[in-house]
Amino acid sequence: MSNSDRRISLVTGANKGIGLEVARQLGKAGHRVLLGARDETRGREAAKTLQAEGVDVRVVAIDLTDPGSLAAAAADIGAHEGRLDVLVNNAAIALQNDGLPGTVDLHVVRQIFETNFFGTVAVTQALLPLLKKSTSGRIVNVSSGLGSITFNNDPDWDYAAVKLLGYNGSKAALNMFTVLLAAELKDHGIKVNAADPGYTATDLNGHSGHQTIPEGAAEAIRLALLPDDGPTGGFFNSDGAEPW
């Protein structure tokens, strides 16, 4: 595959955890990988690991809460790559002081939304002109079952006790963004979907999840590699479609 034919993928928050595994697997699928990292030093360390495995990767410094960083990243990708084929919006935060809607500190909720929702919208907007240059663009928003209003309203759901206004709410908003963006881009050849990794052992949850990182990354990878007849505007885990 020539450099001009190789798919170009950006994964945010890719210096560790699920993001790093998504970057690894997209690289092994033949993509040129742009490893998005807020901390450029940690990004370079992660890139060295992937390069040792034969992945074509370079670091792009990107902070979802810094408009200047997003503009610089878009300019960098435009200048060096010319387009973007795949955007995996993986970067997200969870805060210990998140909690029930009646008592949670609104400053904590705003912090979480600033990265998980507003930051994801902002980075997508910044990179959309480059995605529109692709003949078959893909946007994958890494969401969570905790963002499902249906699940949150089911007292028998396995995670029904997890009522975190900041995290759950930000992922529910991300799901709405997915649906609306998919509708907006349906005539541009860009597919937009949300992936639920499942309860995966990462830094985000203190490694308490029961799934391995490769298991948690699998659905985001599948959606990033969707064929042209694949779905758009959906919410999926490894077992199939999830309720909103």
Side-chain angles (χ1 to χ4, degrees), residues 12-196:
T12 66
N15 60 285
K16 62 180 181 179
I18 287 174
L20 179 59
E21 184 63 21
V22 171
R24 172 181 285 113
Q25 296 304 326
L26 292 181
K28 291 184 176 181
H31 291 212
R32 174 165 171 76
V33 176
L34 308 179
L35 192 153
R38 182 175 56 180
D39 185 322
E40 197 167 356
T41 299
R42 292 180 179 177
R44 285 195 295 268
E45 292 172 356
K48 287 180 182 178
T49 298
L50 297 185
Q51 287 165 351
E53 298 175 15
V55 173
D56 178 12
V57 58
R58 75 177 181 90
V59 178
V60 174
I62 192 162
D63 182 344
L64 270 60
T65 63
D66 180 354
S69 168
L70 301 183
D76 172 288
I77 296 168
H80 291 94
E81 315 297 343
R83 73 175 193 282
L84 187 63
D85 298 298
V86 177
L87 170 62
V88 180
N89 285 316
N90 168 73
I93 62 170
L95 298 178
Q96 287 188 342
N97 292 335
D98 196 3
L100 295 170
T103 55
V104 66
D105 185 338
L106 288 182
H107 176 68
V108 172
V109 176
R110 289 189 180 102
Q111 277 186 287
I112 296 169
F113 265 76
E114 196 61 42
T115 294
N116 296 5
F117 178 65
F118 292 112
T120 298
V121 174
V123 70
T124 303
Q125 289 182 345
L127 298 173
L128 202 51
L130 292 169
L131 283 157
K132 288 181 177 179
K133 293 182 179 181
S134 174
T135 57
S136 55
R138 304 287 181 265
I139 298 173
V140 180
N141 295 324
V142 179
S143 184
S144 169
L146 293 173
S148 167
I149 294 174
T150 300
F151 284 159
N152 275 279
N153 199 40
D154 179 0
D156 296 323
W157 183 44
D158 288 347
Y159 304 103
V162 185
K163 302 298 189 191
L164 305 174
L165 182 61
Y167 190 81
N168 297 25
S170 71
K171 292 301 186 178
L174 182 65
N175 287 350
M176 178 60 78
F177 175 58
T178 300
V179 171
L180 298 184
L181 187 63
E184 179 183 349
L185 298 178
K186 65 180 180 179
D187 295 328
H188 292 273
I190 301 174
K191 296 186 182 299
V192 187
N193 290 289
D196 172 13

Side-chain angles (χ1 to χ4, degrees), residues 198-213:
Y199 194 28
T200 304
T202 67
D203 287 351
L204 201 69
N205 55 42
H207 297 273
S208 60
H210 59 81
Q211 290 187 155
T212 66
I213 285 174

